[in-house]
Amino acid sequence: MSKGWLRALQSDPHLAGAISIVGLVDVNPDAATALAAEFGLEHAVVGTDLAEVLQQTSADILFDIVIPGARSNVVETGLRHGCHVLSEKPLAASMDDARAMVALAADVNRIHAVVQNRRFISGVRRLRRAVKEKLIGDLTALHSDFFLGPHFGGFREAMDNVLLLDMAIHTLDAARFVSGRTPLSVYCVETNPAGSWYAHGASATAIFQLSGGAVYSYRGSWCAEGRPTSWESAWRLVGTKGMLTWDGNDGFEATVAGDEAGLLRGYRSVEVPMPDDDGQTQGHRSVIADFLAAIASGRQPETASSDNIKSLAMVFGAIESARTGLPVRLSQEGS
Ligand SMILES: NC(=O)c1ccc[n+]([C@@H]2O[C@H](COP(=O)([O-])OP(=O)(O)OC[C@H]3O[C@@H](n4cnc5c(N)ncnc54)[C@H](O)[C@@H]3O)[C@@H](O)[C@H]2O)c1
């Protein structure tokens, strides 16, 4: 994923002008050296010890793109060296780790934010705008379907709760963002279906109660062969006046009640407005730009860990529900 970040930086003149990469750290030095060569960063210090490289380079910012299990140490090291830190998702491998990072960032007065890049895309922003502007009335339910069969190899095929922790965090965060509601409780069934090439938890079905009486349902699998859904999921939003569907690509349809007499009232189409800010639809580029703007202005970025922990609580609530077989009341975290 570090290549995705470097491509995002190098393809945006504003970011390329604002940020210069002074060091690359990887426990596997060959990986960092190869990255430096591929992206023309031969001047950068390459090392395996983060603290040493931070000391040597006096970096202001740390981009944390390590695997989830290594995140907590890396973030702590960066924050304690006075860096603002932007981490890949998921924020943490446990709620305790997440709470410790949020508390440390506040203590040392540095910004720590998460790359929740899949909310910085046009489709999710359109859903959010439609809900905010009550295009289909007041939101009463959201549903998302995520069915793909990627063969990644690597850490994902060995980790526990792989779908919920490594992928569903994007979708659950998007649901929280789109709805603008507070998740209150979750009931989840997680399985590793027959034929799965993952060690654990490649599939999950979860139902969340949201504030204001709304419901969110998530159905997902990362070992579903055949025609896939979009990586953004296929969505259905239900409101008091109508429904909005998004296929996760370009297909949007919003319809509200028609005026036919009889059992069904029929329906009429309404236009789904485009996002109101193009700058917020460029994935990693938008997240990094928001992070830099937050550092410059002193405000918290949209995906500050103190807010993102609320999405992580949805993931860990679902994991606990799956483990216990019981609904779980979600703790109200962060700011
Ligand atoms: N936002 C997205 O769309 C997206 C997409 C893919 C991956 N990711 C996230 O990016 C992160 C990395 O995933 P990846 O696919 O690049 O994994 P990867 O295994 O391909 O790369 C991880 C790299 O981190 C290095 N590493 C591990 N522990 C380290 C440590 N303690 N210090 C320094 N380096 C260390 C590894 O040697 C490896 O080179 C994960 O959190 C993953 O969930 C996000």
Side-chain angles (χ1 to χ4, degrees), residues 70-135:
R71 176 139 303 123
S72 139
N73 281 338
V74 164
V75 171
E76 182 177 352
T77 305
L79 290 173
R80 289 206 186 282
H81 272 78
C83 293
H84 299 287
V85 182
L86 185 57
S87 288
E88 256 305 342
K89 44 56 61 171
L91 164 60
S94 74
M95 285 306 289
D96 283 348
D97 280 357
R99 290 183 190 114
M101 288 183 220
V102 170
L104 181 61
D107 276 358
V108 298
N109 198 21
R110 284 290 173 274
I111 291 176
H112 179 219
V114 178
V115 170
Q116 211 67 76
N117 52 308
R118 289 180 187 274
R119 66 154 69 188
F120 286 86
I121 60 170
S122 176
V124 168
R125 297 278 153 175
R126 284 178 82 178
L127 293 186
R128 172 72 186 133
R129 182 169 179 191
V131 169
K132 243 171 132 177
E133 295 179 1
K134 298 190 188 289
L135 189 71

Side-chain angles (χ1 to χ4, degrees), residues 244-328:
L244 194 175
T245 57
W246 175 40
D247 65 4
N249 295 311
D250 297 326
F252 281 84
E253 186 186 50
T255 51
V256 294
D259 47 17
E260 293 168 22
L263 179 67
L264 298 173
R265 297 291 145 84
Y267 55 84
R268 66 182 170 80
S269 296
V270 286
E271 198 178 323
V272 183
M274 294 303 283
D276 34 24
D277 184 351
D278 255 3
Q280 292 181 325
T281 61
Q282 310 298 318
H284 274 77
R285 277 162 53 188
S286 297
V287 189
I288 298 169
D290 186 48
F291 177 69
L292 292 186
I295 293 171
S297 68
R299 67 166 168 83
Q300 285 294 319
E302 185 176 312
T303 56
S305 51
S306 55
D307 180 76
N308 192 255
I309 194 171
K310 296 172 187 172
S311 299
L312 196 73
M314 296 173 78
V315 169
F316 280 106
I319 289 172
E320 187 187 337
S321 170
R323 188 178 54 77
T324 59
L326 297 169
V328 167

Side-chain angles (χ1 to χ4, degrees), residues 1-2 5 25-28 31-32 48 50 64-68 70-71 74 88-90 115-118 154-156 165-166 170 284:
M1 194 61 221
S2 51
W5 287 54
V25 180
D26 200 305
V27 286
N28 169 11
T48 54
L50 176 60
D64 152 29
I65 320 170
V66 296
I67 56 172
R71 176 139 303 123
V74 164
E88 256 305 342
K89 44 56 61 171
V115 170
Q116 211 67 76
N117 52 308
R118 289 180 187 274
F155 73 90
R156 290 183 185 82
L165 196 51
D166 197 62
H170 282 301
H284 274 77

